[in-house]
Amino acid sequence: MEGKATVEFEIRLKWQDSRIKLTKPKISATFPCEEIWTPALSLSAGLSNKIDVYPRRNTSSCHFNQEKKRVEVQLEDPLMGITFIEPDIMQEQKLTVELPCQLQLSMYPFGRHMCNLTILVSGAKWINIKDEDYRNIKYLNGARYDFHLEKITAARRNILYETDFNQGRVSLTLHLVAEPSYHITNSFLPSSLMFLICYLSLFFPTACFSERIMVSLTALLVLVTLFSQATNTYVKTPYYKLIDVWYVVLIFLCFTVVVANALVNYLRVAKVQSQTDLMRKLLAAKRCNSAFQEFLAACFVALVMAFVLFSQDILKV
């Protein structure tokens, strides 16, 4: 509802610093990251209109890794000390980021959407992404909302500037798929039944004008109420969505049924001068009623077919 996604991930950075020399360090000794230079991370959401985001939680730890070590013996040292040159520095950061997802919800409650998080590492010469780094990412929230996480993909870009200053960039993309099942049972099905009830009034005898107009008007009012309640439950946007179009079209069709009932009754009770004119009026009322039956049925079937195509991503807004 708030258009935000919370992502927890871990970043492992490895580099060498020629300014650092270690004398008899412990293997994989841990130390505070504030004591040395570390690459700076910057996070942004989106691809075109980027929005800077800041971690809600950030814990880091640093240690030296001397599995592949270069050793120098200090001959001037009376104790013959051993110094490790350019040790491998490892930093692990655990981040929790809440990022805005600028989703275009024109096809709501259908469609597929993407939410992007870009990680920029300043000072990185190269960024390696292994397949297992992102293919095993899991969606830990078991609740089902308007969207579910289908997959996560990662893209890597390494940019070398003219100043020989390197920046590594990784873009994570959350692929979201809409969950229309709730709206099918709570919006599309009830509204369809209301229209069918309104439409069936056209099959009442033309002489029963009171029953025809009361049924159609009641169904129209109920449909408007359903539309008002639905707009208060799903996400609000400054533009129309598919579910809004659905309700608006059904309301228009129900209004057409009311107009059809009124027009048929007008043709039926119009003053005539002879029996021949009366038969002609009754026949015109019957034909008008049949024409509205066929027209409204075709419109409703076309509307349902269009939304089925939208739900299957065959048609897109």
Side-chain angles (χ1 to χ4, degrees):
M1 296 296 292
E2 297 179 359
K4 296 180 181 179
T6 301
V7 181
E8 297 179 359
F9 58 95
E10 181 176 333
I11 296 180
R12 295 184 180 92
L13 301 176
K14 177 182 176 181
W15 72 95
Q16 293 179 341
D17 194 334
S18 60
R19 299 169 296 179
I20 296 179
K21 297 181 179 180
L22 304 177
T23 301
K24 289 185 178 180
K26 296 181 179 179
I27 301 299
S28 300
T30 302
F31 60 92
C33 297
E34 294 80 10
E35 294 183 357
I36 63 171
W37 174 90
T38 57
L41 292 181
S42 59
L43 307 175
S44 60
L47 292 178
S48 56
N49 299 323
K50 293 185 177 180
I51 301 175
D52 293 334
V53 294
Y54 302 94
R56 193 172 61 188
R57 181 178 65 89
N58 186 357
T59 59
S60 62
S61 62
C62 293
H63 63 274
F64 295 110
N65 189 347
Q66 295 302 321
E67 294 179 358
K68 298 179 180 178
K69 50 193 176 185
R70 293 174 53 192
V71 179
E72 284 186 358
V73 179
Q74 304 297 327
L75 299 178
E76 68 275 7
D77 186 359
L79 300 178
M80 297 298 289
I82 297 177
T83 300
F84 295 132
I85 305 300
E86 295 184 358
D88 290 338
I89 305 173
M90 308 285 292
Q91 182 186 22
E92 296 183 358
Q93 295 191 48
K94 295 182 179 180
L95 302 154
T96 300
V97 179
E98 188 178 72
L99 64 148
C101 293
Q102 299 174 324
L103 305 181
Q104 295 297 323
L105 301 177
S106 300
M107 293 187 62
Y108 184 86
F110 308 112
R112 297 175 179 269
H113 310 275
M114 292 186 295
C115 185
N116 301 97
L117 174 64
T118 301
I119 306 170
L120 184 65
V121 184
S122 298
K125 184 178 181 180
W126 194 259
I127 292 181
N128 293 324
I129 302 177
K130 300 179 181 179
D131 293 342
E132 59 269 18
D133 289 340
Y134 61 90
R135 289 184 179 177
N136 295 328
I137 296 177
K138 297 180 180 179
Y139 178 50
L140 299 180
N141 194 338
R144 301 292 293 271
Y145 296 103
D146 285 342
F147 306 94
H148 73 268
L149 185 64
E150 182 184 34
K151 62 181 178 179
I152 297 178
T153 58
R156 179 186 66 198
R157 291 185 61 194
N158 294 281
I159 305 173
L160 179 63
Y161 290 94
E162 295 179 357
T163 57
D164 291 334
F165 182 74
N166 295 295
Q167 288 187 327
R169 178 177 302 173
V170 177
S171 295
L172 297 178
T173 302
L174 310 180
H175 295 263
L176 305 173
V177 180
E179 287 278 2
S181 56
Y182 171 83
H183 296 283
I184 290 176
T185 57
N186 291 271
S187 296
F188 291 104
L189 184 59
S191 58
S192 298
L193 292 177
M194 284 299 100
F195 169 74
L196 291 177
I197 292 174
C198 183
Y199 173 73
L200 289 177
S201 65
L202 294 175
F203 293 87
F204 293 180
T206 56
C208 302
F209 173 72
S210 299
E211 290 79 1
R212 289 163 62 102
I213 199 66
M214 287 299 297
V215 170
S216 57
L217 282 176
T218 303
L220 176 60
L221 293 177
V222 172
L223 189 58
V224 172
T225 303
L226 290 176
F227 182 35
S228 178
Q229 293 177 350
T231 54
N232 294 326
T233 57
Y234 57 71
V235 60
K236 295 180 174 60
T237 58
Y239 49 84
Y240 286 107
K241 302 174 287 294
L242 278 181
I243 192 170
D244 299 326
V245 175
W246 170 269
Y247 275 107
V248 170
V249 173
L250 284 187
I251 290 174
F252 174 77
L253 293 180
C254 284
F255 174 75
T256 305
V257 173
V258 175
V259 173
N261 287 327
L263 181 60
V264 169
N265 185 70
Y266 170 77
L267 295 176
R268 187 183 63 85
V269 301
K271 294 182 178 181
V272 295
Q273 301 295 331
S274 63
Q275 186 69 21
T276 303
D277 292 339
L278 177 61
M279 296 301 297
R280 187 182 299 109
K281 291 290 185 182
L282 293 177
L283 181 60
K286 184 177 180 180
R287 289 179 176 176
C288 180
N289 190 73
S290 299
F292 275 107
Q293 290 176 358
E294 296 176 0
F295 172 73
L296 292 172
C299 290
F300 181 71
V301 171
L303 178 65
V304 173
M305 291 300 297
F307 271 75
V308 170
L309 296 178
F310 279 120
S311 66
Q312 301 298 321
D313 286 336
I314 299 176
L315 291 180
K316 295 184 179 181
V317 176

